Amino acid sequence: MNSNLSQSTWLASIVVLVAAASTRPACAEVIYPTAFPNGAQSLFAGHSFFVPVATSFNQLATQNGYSAHSMESVFAPGGQGSPGSLWENENNYAAIVDVLEDGDVELFGLTTAFEIGSEIEDYSQWIDLALRYNPNTEFVIGVPWVLFGPTDAIGGAEGFAATNAERAAQEWEKVQALRAAHPEATIHYIDYSLVGSIM
């Protein structure tokens, strides 16, 4: 088994458990709606801190009986996987449009490379384009942990966690701005850098 993929699968499982724990109803009568009760036809585009995690979610969905779930992905390494860089690269742009133009994408996932091609405008152009092909497309923006890890970060594990929290807060502000700019769209946000810090 590919060790990177197995680590990503483990990480995805932890993300699911943390998310479930953080949203568990205080009262048994409260029921939270499921966005895609049978799964979603999805497209995820980004770098190695995003696409392998999305692939792991895809495996979990398949293994757990989400019959309508499917996933396609477009991968580009490092900063090339940011929304702005994907847009500027002719081949990556064409690959994404090739999936979107069928009009079947229900969930479109993007990530951030922080300072590289990750401004509000970079996300907005993808949102606008996807909605032209399918006005019901929903979006998810995933925030990965910062490069390296607690052993290499300034300040060790605490420094790693603090930097992740700072970056995640910046991305959360962007998501709020995107929601305000695109009230017609549903934009989900997943901060899996939090899980990286906990691990």
Side-chain angles (χ1 to χ4, degrees):
M1 177 180 286
N2 183 308
S3 61
N4 289 334
L5 187 56
S6 63
Q7 289 174 0
S8 295
T9 303
W10 184 60
L11 173 62
S13 301
I14 297 291
V15 170
V16 170
L17 291 172
V18 170
S22 65
T23 59
R24 184 175 294 129
C27 171
E29 295 176 5
V30 177
I31 299 174
Y32 292 98
T34 301
F36 301 101
N38 298 311
Q41 294 189 52
S42 55
L43 167 63
F44 289 84
H47 46 57
S48 61
F49 279 35
F50 184 66
V51 169
V53 174
T55 301
S56 298
F57 279 126
N58 182 59
Q59 292 175 339
L60 289 170
T62 302
Q63 292 166 2
N64 286 280
Y66 287 87
S67 57
H69 184 78
S70 66
M71 176 189 147
E72 296 194 52
S73 64
V74 175
F75 170 78
Q80 297 173 55
S82 70
S85 298
L86 290 167
W87 185 273
E88 294 296 329
N89 182 285
E90 183 177 339
N91 292 331
N92 291 330
Y93 177 88
I96 293 171
V97 170
D98 186 54
V99 179
L100 291 175
E101 65 185 358
D102 289 337
D104 297 328
V105 173
E106 298 172 295
L107 182 65
F108 183 15
L110 295 163
T111 188
T112 178
F114 301 112
E115 292 89 357
I116 302 170
S118 302
E119 298 304 320
I120 292 169
E121 297 76 16
D122 298 315
Y123 295 99
S124 283
Q125 56 196 1
W126 283 119
I127 292 170
D128 289 336
L129 181 64
L131 290 175
R132 275 186 235 138
Y133 290 115
N134 180 357
N136 296 315
T137 298
E138 297 187 16
F139 303 87
V140 60
I141 296 173
V143 179
W145 57 94
V146 294
L147 284 173
F148 309 114
T151 57
D152 300 309
I154 297 174
E158 290 183 3
F160 179 66
T163 304
N164 280 331
E166 179 183 344
R167 293 293 181 86
Q170 293 169 359
E171 297 307 308
W172 172 237
E173 288 182 8
K174 291 179 191 175
V175 169
Q176 290 177 299
L178 286 166
R179 287 174 174 172
H182 302 275
E184 76 284 15
T186 298
I187 303 172
H188 304 281
Y189 170 81
I190 180 168
D191 170 16
Y192 56 96
S193 69
L194 169 65
V195 180
S197 298
I198 292 171
M199 289 168 56

